[in-house]
Amino acid sequence: MFKKILLPTDGSEASERAGEYAISAANLSGADIIVLNVIDTDYLNALPQQDLREKLDEELREEGKEAVEKFKNKIEAEKCEGNCRNINLITLIKQGKPEDVILETADQEGVDQIIMGKSGKHSFERFLMGSTTERVVRRAKIPVNIIS
C-alpha cells in the first residue's frame, strides 16, 4: 500500500496521462500525491547573457506554475464529480537538474512510488523513454511507474 506518490510534471501529454494514473492509484490506496515541477537550471546556466537567463527563468517558472495548477484544477474538478475521494495534494516547484531534484524530493518527502510520463515536452516522442525518465528509473530506490 502506497502512502505518498511523487508525480513529476512538465505539463506535457505524457505527464497528464501519468497524472490520471496517479489519481487512480491515490484513490485506491489513499496515498497523498506530491506534484513536482522542476525548472531545469542546467539549460539556463549554459546561456551567456544574464538578461536572457533571467527572462527564461521567469518564463519557466510561469510554465511550471501552470503545469501544477492544471493538475490541481483537474483533481478539484474530479472531486466535484465524485470520482476522487480524499486525495491530499501537495504542489512543489523546485530548481535544478530534473532527475536529481526528483530523486532528492522522493527521498526528502518519504515517497513510496514515483509515477511519471515516458517523455516530457522537451523530448522527442519516440519508442524509448525520455532521458530524464530513464535516469530516474536507473537511480531510483523505490518503484517508478512509467506511463506512455
Side-chain angles (χ1 to χ4, degrees), residues 19-36:
E20 291 169 7
Y21 184 86
I23 291 169
S24 295
N27 196 32
L28 291 172
S29 67
D32 294 341
I33 299 176
I34 300 170
V35 182
L36 172 66

Side-chain angles (χ1 to χ4, degrees), residues 47-109:
L47 298 172
Q49 300 93 346
Q50 178 68 24
D51 59 334
L52 180 58
R53 281 195 305 264
E54 289 172 2
K55 182 167 176 45
L56 281 174
D57 180 62
E58 196 175 300
E59 287 178 17
L60 289 171
R61 284 184 185 283
E62 190 58 39
E63 204 173 274
K65 286 179 191 174
E66 287 175 15
V68 168
E69 281 299 311
K70 185 176 180 181
F71 185 76
K72 184 177 177 184
N73 292 339
K74 180 177 178 55
I75 285 194
E76 289 171 357
E78 288 195 11
K79 275 187 179 181
C80 294
E81 294 173 10
N83 292 336
C84 298
R85 290 191 291 275
N86 298 313
I87 295 176
N88 184 30
L89 184 68
I90 301 161
T91 58
L92 301 171
I93 298 176
K94 296 184 175 185
Q95 283 186 227
K97 191 172 182 182
E99 61 267 18
D100 292 342
V101 174
I102 291 167
L103 294 167
E104 287 166 7
T105 301
D107 188 46
Q108 292 166 352
E109 297 290 334

Side-chain angles (χ1 to χ4, degrees), residues 18 31 41 44-45 64 68 73 93 105 112 129 131-133 145-146:
T41 55
L44 294 178
N45 293 335
V68 168
N73 292 339
I93 298 176
T105 301
D112 306 301
M129 289 185 284
S131 58
T132 298
T133 303
N145 276 341
I146 308 303

Side-chain angles (χ1 to χ4, degrees), residues 1-8 21-22 25-26 29 31-34 106 110-116 140-147:
M1 187 72 82
F2 298 110
K3 293 182 181 178
K4 286 188 180 180
I5 296 170
L6 180 61
L7 175 69
Y21 184 86
S29 67
D32 294 341
I33 299 176
I34 300 170
V111 168
D112 306 301
Q113 177 183 33
I114 300 171
I115 297 174
M116 59 191 302
K141 297 175 183 163
I142 58 174
V144 180
N145 276 341
I146 308 303
I147 309 301

